[in-house]
Amino acid sequence: MSGPVIAAASMSLDGFVAYENNDPGALFDWYQAGDIEIINAGDLEPFHLTPESADYWRSWTNGVGCLVVGRLLFDITDGWKGEHPLGVPFVVVTHEAPTDWVHGSTGNAHFVTTGIADAIALAKEIAGQSIVGVAAGTIAGQALAAGLLDEVAIDLVPIVMGEGHPFFAGIAPEVVRLGDPTTVIPARRVTHLRFPVLR
């Protein structure tokens, strides 16, 4: 039996996960809002979370076995140089896999050119019974529309961005059917929320 598939991201009050230029603005300020150090894999600097955020972060990220991301995020981060901050493999949904990516030798990146369903199927195979995390944006929208998500996790940040990339991009609003929140954790500069996806 495979683990749940969860789309997760920090989001503004008006529903955006980054500006149009891909800058997250103040969405990640809560990563440095406390005193509890969270060590990341790769070369990302440690987070410093509040006790509430640290407990929440550990409670679900420690269970993640694989991530599914889009080509845009992969390109912006240079594929985290082959090592995602969570220290887990990741599957990239793309029209064409890169042939000259210098960090490919780590073996952590997997490229799928046949759509979101195949990408999540591969991620489930890699993760086993662990969680498959899905990045927000176009990929989250595709996964939700295809009925592939089990939960939505939102780190709700008290800012208004006005425009940018929405949490679910390119999806009809009527497709978004979420149940009552199973998690509501207020913390400094963020409220952590999790919602089940209704089938």
Side-chain angles (χ1 to χ4, degrees):
M1 182 177 179
S2 60
V5 180
I6 303 174
S10 292
M11 186 186 80
S12 67
L13 291 178
D14 50 347
F16 297 107
V17 296
Y19 288 107
E20 290 291 348
N21 65 357
N22 302 315
D23 182 355
L27 284 175
F28 295 161
D29 285 0
W30 66 273
Y31 288 146
Q32 300 297 337
D35 299 320
I36 298 178
E37 186 171 78
I38 302 292
I39 301 298
N40 293 298
D43 59 5
L44 184 66
E45 292 295 317
F47 298 154
H48 294 89
L49 305 182
T50 64
E52 298 86 356
S53 288
D55 287 346
Y56 172 75
W57 181 261
R58 290 170 176 147
S59 73
W60 90 271
T61 59
N62 286 348
V64 174
C66 189
L67 298 168
V68 178
V69 304
R71 183 60 186 263
L72 176 61
L73 182 56
F74 173 83
D75 286 343
I76 290 170
T77 62
D78 189 24
W80 303 278
K81 297 180 181 177
E83 189 169 10
H84 190 276
L86 292 184
V88 298
F90 52 93
V91 175
V92 183
V93 185
T94 181
H95 293 295
E96 186 175 350
T99 57
D100 56 353
W101 184 49
V102 297
H103 306 293
S105 61
T106 66
N108 291 326
H110 306 265
F111 299 92
V112 171
T113 60
T114 50
I116 188 65
D118 287 342
I120 288 183
L122 175 58
K124 284 184 171 184
E125 181 181 329
I126 294 169
Q129 295 183 355
S130 298
I131 295 167
V132 170
V134 178
T138 302
I139 298 304
Q142 291 176 0
L144 185 62
L148 299 171
L149 289 185
D150 298 304
E151 293 183 59
V152 173
I154 296 172
D155 301 309
L156 186 65
V157 179
I159 62 170
V160 174
M161 299 175 71
E163 61 182 5
H165 297 287
F167 193 109
F168 292 113
I171 189 170
E174 60 269 18
V175 175
V176 183
R177 298 183 61 248
L178 304 179
D180 294 331
T182 56
T183 298
V184 180
I185 300 174
R188 189 176 304 140
R189 303 308 304 157
V190 67
T191 300
H192 306 290
L193 303 165
R194 284 175 71 167
F195 302 88
V197 175
L198 302 178
R199 296 288 195 261

